[in-house]
Amino acid sequence: MPMFPTEHAVRTTPEGLLWEPSERWVRGAKGDVTVVDSRHPVLVWEPGVPVPLYAFPREEVREDLLRPAKNPPTDAHTGSRVFYDLEVAGERTENAAWTFPAADLADHIAFEWFRRVGRGLDHWYEEEEEIFIHPRDPHKRVDAIAGSRHVRVEINGTVVADTRRPVLLFETGLPTRYYIPREDVRLDLFAPTDRRTGCPYKGTAEYWSWRGEADVPPNIVWSYPDPLPAVGAIKGLLAFYNEEVDITVDGELQERPITPFSTKPSST
């Protein structure tokens, strides 16, 4: 079947930005105040940044809440020079918004996400679903598939999990994660922590750390107690960082991958 270009094809600017329109209804809020309400958002990928962000037409932004930045950064967001502080209910958030230098995006404003950089808008919604950290990438897949492989996890020679009923999570750009039923994990060897993280594809995760003496990073085990519907199969299951433990699948020891989640740099 022949393929035809569409109005949603990814475009490139001379500054190296990639962007494409999105048909999702996106809203962003600071506390209880809606700052963005857009049915014409644009996804933007900055050079060297693996995840996208949103930019919005000015008419769909509460510009009355924006003030010229008092202390604009000089090296942020691909050469942007126009930054705004956000003022809501008497509270001013510095450099919460900006415009890109690209002519294609001149009439759009982008915002920081609080849960990603510690400032900016703190609630974001696509349609009626709250999302976290960054927008979902339409060019990325996350599939959770029930399996019957024999998966064994070891830490410093101690078997901490052994199952033949994992759920395999395939996420573009990351190693396969093996989610294991709690009954098949030695959870008594781990201690729960206060760490919580949000993922736009999976939801909010809780963590456990290794109780033993081996040199193991904290928060080595995680679970999604209430995952998003698209990955509901991983609900309550436990996963380990492939980067830091030994995982054997159907008798074959898996190589520890080097990813942004690795605590030790690659030797190559």
Side-chain angles (χ1 to χ4, degrees):
M1 179 181 295
M3 299 295 291
F4 299 97
T6 72
E7 61 176 327
H8 297 292
V10 177
R11 301 144 198 202
T12 306
T13 76
E15 297 80 8
L17 297 166
L18 301 177
W19 68 277
E20 69 175 354
S22 171
E23 294 183 351
R24 301 185 183 195
W25 176 24
V26 178
R27 285 155 291 153
K30 180 68 172 178
D32 295 330
V33 177
T34 298
V35 179
V36 175
D37 189 334
S38 178
R39 286 174 169 79
H40 307 91
V42 171
L43 282 163
V44 183
W45 290 262
E46 296 186 87
V49 180
V51 298
L53 50 82
Y54 276 125
F56 308 96
R58 287 180 175 271
E59 59 269 22
E60 297 180 338
V61 171
R62 286 281 306 274
E63 286 195 82
D64 61 300
L65 301 176
L66 300 181
R67 311 285 183 263
K70 289 183 177 180
N71 301 293
T74 59
D75 58 352
H77 298 300
T78 316
S80 298
R81 290 294 178 266
V82 179
F83 284 84
Y84 300 97
D85 295 344
L86 175 69
E87 190 166 317
V88 175
E91 178 183 349
R92 190 167 183 133
T93 303
E94 288 195 349
N95 302 312
W98 71 94
T99 61
F100 286 109
D104 290 353
L105 302 173
D107 294 326
H108 290 70
I109 297 176
F111 286 83
E112 299 285 14
W113 292 42
F114 180 83
R115 291 188 63 176
R116 183 177 176 190
V117 298
R119 69 178 186 279
L121 303 191
D122 44 23
H123 294 286
W124 287 96
Y125 301 88
E126 290 178 346
E127 301 299 330
E128 295 301 327
E129 190 170 286
E130 186 167 9
I131 55 173
F132 310 96
I133 312 299
H134 60 79
R136 296 174 177 134
D137 189 330
H139 305 286
K140 183 172 185 175
R141 286 189 63 94
V142 180
D143 297 306
I145 303 176
S148 60
R149 301 193 192 201
H150 182 197
V151 177
R152 188 176 72 249
V153 182
E154 297 180 56
I155 295 179
N156 198 32
T158 299
V159 176
V160 298
D162 194 318
T163 191
R164 293 182 182 272
R165 46 181 184 154
V167 171
L168 284 67
L169 190 131
F170 302 94
E171 183 170 352
T172 304
L174 289 174
T176 303
R177 302 299 191 191
Y178 300 94
Y179 282 79
I180 301 172
R182 292 186 181 221
E183 308 85 74
D184 297 339
V185 177
R186 288 285 310 278
L187 202 53
D188 59 300
L189 300 176
F190 301 87
T193 75
D194 294 332
R195 179 172 172 77
R196 299 292 184 272
T197 60
C199 171
Y201 306 103
K202 298 184 285 293
T204 300
E206 57 187 9
Y207 289 81
W208 290 260
S209 288
W210 171 244
R211 292 181 186 270
E213 298 180 356
D215 183 17
V216 178
N219 302 301
I220 195 71
V221 185
W222 73 90
S223 179
Y224 288 92
D226 189 22
L228 297 176
V231 292
I234 66 172
K235 181 180 177 69
L237 305 187
L238 299 162
F240 295 78
Y241 280 109
N242 312 43
E243 297 87 341
E244 308 293 347
V245 301
D246 293 319
I247 298 180
T248 301
V249 180
D250 290 338
E252 182 178 347
L253 179 64
Q254 306 298 293
E255 182 177 351
R256 293 191 183 186
I258 301 297
T259 78
F261 297 100
S262 302
T263 59
K264 299 176 182 177
S266 172
S267 60
T268 59

